[in-house]
Amino acid sequence: MDKDIPVISLQRLPIYLNYLKSLSADKLYVTSGLIAEALGMGEVLVRKDLAYTSAVGRPRVGYVRAELITALEDFLGCKRRRSAVIAGAGALGRAVLGYGGFSNYGIEIDAAFDNDAEKVGRQIAGRPVYDISEAKTRIPALRAELAVLCVPANYAQEVADVLVACGIKAIMNFAPVLIKTPDSVTVRHIDVAANLAILSSMI
Amino acid sequence: MDKDIPVISLQRLPIYLNYLKSLSADKLYVTSGLIAEALGMGEVLVRKDLAYTSAVGRPRVGYVRAELITALEDFLGCKRRRSAVIAGAGALGRAVLGYGGFSNYGIEIDAAFDNDAEKVGRQIAGRPVYDISEAKTRIPALRAELAVLCVPANYAQEVADVLVACGIKAIMNFAPVLIKTPDSVTVRHIDVAANLAILSSMI
DNA sequence: TAGATTGTTAATCGATTAACAATC
DNA sequence: TAGATTGTTAATCGATTAACAATC
């Protein structure tokens, strides 16, 4: 009955959530018009997006801000704690490990993997760095289903295959190369250089 | 006459470019069908996207791979060298500084800025770290128009304002907060935590 | 009650895909 | 020539916006 949320709407939900959280605590109600105005988008679009979550607004007053935050967090699964791992403990992997923002979404980065003996066995930001060969025992033990791929391009496919074999169900890929995975595994590719090039060509 | 390329098509051009470069050197010709197949998309879409560049294919043989790469590079402005700076020399800023991939697109990261006296004056990956107060002389001197914003959320708007005042025309924003800029400045927001949360909710 | 805002249905807009003529 | 592939025009699909009834 209820249609699945389009990915493009899903991508806007964290933006709404951030905005709602940024409002001062005495702001009890918000309207779609207020959100739309602040974020530079159409108000009907905001209502449509919010309708995919369990959010319910009231005519004349709008949405209760706290309820709306809860609805968005529920929809995004922020309540359910989920474990993630990082593959590649280079500069980017370490930056991601040290980044605290994941906890807002119920995600915990629990470990990193690398093949460099220099890095293996140490801790980074309080998290252990294991040899990649340990992935097949460590990942199931952690029940991790999310992975952030921060290895060089020439290792990306090989490491992605290992992650998939270990039960990882979604991969955020920072390597500048497309990786192939079974349909059951979702991949988001973030190519930082390509993004900057796109920006540059839009100037 | 010629319509402007939609942003969504523009975003695919680096993907085509990477794929074409990944092919072995003896692959002289490529067809839209080959590219589409490899990338899991429709072949008409590939031809439409390529048509926005100056690429011209030939019926029956397809596109000359080398020509197509050149056409994409020209369109993306990879030939014209452009200077970029990083704001924020924390873990993420350092990771971006150390990342070599920008040169493929003609982009050179020339400097970083920070307000931490510990970091200012040092070099990271061979690039100088200046105090943010120097931005207004250094950025124009470098003729930098691109910036990567890697500061904490609570500084993001303030630092973005400085960058804009220094002549920056496009900002890639890694801070988990929306920033406001004049219409003349293009912003791409990459919220790593939000992206992982989206992925997670798609599992 | 009057008026503001929601939620939904219909219209529009833009992107993708299908169809096909051109051509090498 | 026959056939494969391009480039383009028309059709479809999906997302956004407009219109509006419901309602608090």
Side-chain angles (χ1 to χ4, degrees), chain B residues 169-190:
Chain B
K169 291 279 172 269
I171 296 173
M172 184 153 59
N173 175 27
F174 280 100
V177 63
L178 256 39
I179 56 175
K180 287 200 168 74
T181 58
D183 289 346
S184 59
V185 176
T186 310
V187 176
R188 270 180 100 79
H189 184 211
I190 298 183

Side-chain angles (χ1 to χ4, degrees), chain A residues 105-176:
Chain A
Y105 297 100
I107 294 166
E108 186 73 40
I109 310 276
D110 286 314
F113 295 93
D114 207 293
N115 65 353
D116 178 352
E118 282 287 308
K119 292 167 186 161
V120 169
R122 298 173 64 177
Q123 289 222 335
I124 296 174
R127 273 54 144 268
V129 180
Y130 298 120
D131 191 273
I132 184 69
S133 67
E134 294 186 50
K136 63 175 168 300
T137 58
R138 299 290 189 180
I139 288 177
L142 289 166
R143 289 185 173 71
E145 293 188 327
L146 299 171
V148 184
L149 191 54
C150 302
V151 302
N154 53 321
Y155 285 109
Q157 184 62 58
E158 177 187 336
V159 174
D161 292 343
V162 170
L163 294 171
V164 169
C166 294
I168 291 294
K169 290 282 172 268
I171 297 173
M172 184 152 61
N173 174 28
F174 280 100

Side-chain angles (χ1 to χ4, degrees), chain A residues 27-146:
Chain A
K27 191 91 182 162
L28 297 179
Y29 296 91
V30 292
T31 65
S32 59
L34 178 74
I35 298 171
E37 169 71 22
L39 268 35
M41 46 203 302
E43 58 171 33
V44 184
L45 185 59
V46 173
R47 289 203 292 278
K48 272 243 163 101
D49 286 343
L50 296 179
Y52 284 112
T53 72
S54 63
V56 178
R58 273 183 289 166
R60 185 111 174 92
V61 291
Y63 303 82
V64 176
R65 187 172 71 100
E67 283 180 10
L68 195 46
I69 288 174
T70 300
L72 286 165
E73 288 182 336
D74 281 353
F75 192 89
L76 289 169
C78 302
K79 296 299 162 52
R80 185 159 73 86
R81 299 290 115 183
R82 278 156 306 179
S83 175
V85 299
I86 305 221
L92 180 59
R94 287 199 295 272
V96 175
L97 265 174
Y99 176 63
F102 298 109
S103 61
N104 291 323
Y105 297 100
I107 294 166
E108 186 73 40
I109 310 276
D110 286 314
F113 295 93
D114 207 293
N115 65 353
D116 178 352
E118 282 287 308
K119 292 167 186 161
V120 169
R122 298 173 64 177
Q123 289 222 335
I124 296 174
R127 273 54 144 268
V129 180
Y130 298 120
D131 191 273
I132 184 69
S133 67
E134 294 186 50
K136 63 175 168 300
T137 58
R138 299 290 189 180
I139 288 177
L142 289 166
R143 289 185 173 71
E145 293 188 327
L146 299 171

